[in-house]
Amino acid sequence: MVKIILSILLVLAIIYIVPFIVYGLSLVLFGLKPPDGASPLMFLLSVFVSKIGTAIAFVLIFYFARNSLSGHWFLYAFIWWLMFAIGETGQAIGPNYSWKEAIVGVISETIYLPVSAYIVNWLIKV
């Protein structure tokens, strides 16, 4: 149980911090604009709550399927990456989300999903 909780906390930290670094760099380098409408604090809080759910699902799915997934962390990360990349594409097609934001999102996911999967695979062994 301790390893599951530790995995969730580490994954949460990774998937919360990496996008802010990538989006921050994009803001400086490419002029990507922060979201309009919400206060920065409310935006950060909403992202945090969303990432809590993602971290829990990411770890628990791996945990319950560890007999099949153990050692296949890169495949596990790729499956999640594919799901998120398709989601970013869908958001970019719709209103209020640019292709720049989608690309930055995919870059973030390309970094944080393999790192998260590696850590979960390392902590949760068969």
Side-chain angles (χ1 to χ4, degrees):
M1 185 66 154
V2 171
K3 288 185 178 185
I4 294 171
I5 293 170
L6 179 60
S7 295
I8 291 170
L9 293 174
L10 288 172
V11 168
L12 178 59
I14 292 164
I15 69 174
Y16 187 71
I17 293 169
V18 168
F20 283 108
I21 293 169
V22 174
Y23 277 94
L25 286 171
S26 307
L27 201 96
V28 172
L29 298 174
F30 307 114
L32 190 67
K33 304 241 190 274
D36 291 332
S39 72
L41 180 61
M42 290 307 290
F43 174 72
L44 292 173
L45 182 60
S46 71
V47 170
F48 185 72
V49 170
S50 166
K51 297 296 184 182
I52 289 171
T54 302
I56 291 169
F58 190 88
V59 171
L60 290 181
I61 290 170
F62 189 91
Y63 175 76
F64 288 116
R66 68 189 176 276
N67 289 331
S68 299
L69 293 173
S70 188
H72 301 287
W73 61 269
F74 193 78
L75 174 62
Y76 185 64
F78 177 74
I79 293 167
W80 277 84
W81 178 87
L82 187 61
M83 178 183 67
F84 284 155
I86 292 169
E88 294 284 354
T89 302
Q91 283 188 294
I93 291 169
N96 303 323
Y97 200 76
S98 71
W99 283 102
K100 280 183 185 178
E101 291 170 310
I103 291 168
V104 171
V106 170
I107 291 168
S108 295
E109 292 147 4
T110 302
I111 297 167
Y112 73 66
L113 287 168
V115 173
S116 296
Y118 180 81
I119 287 171
V120 171
N121 183 73
W122 176 62
L123 285 172
I124 300 174
K125 294 180 176 33
V126 178

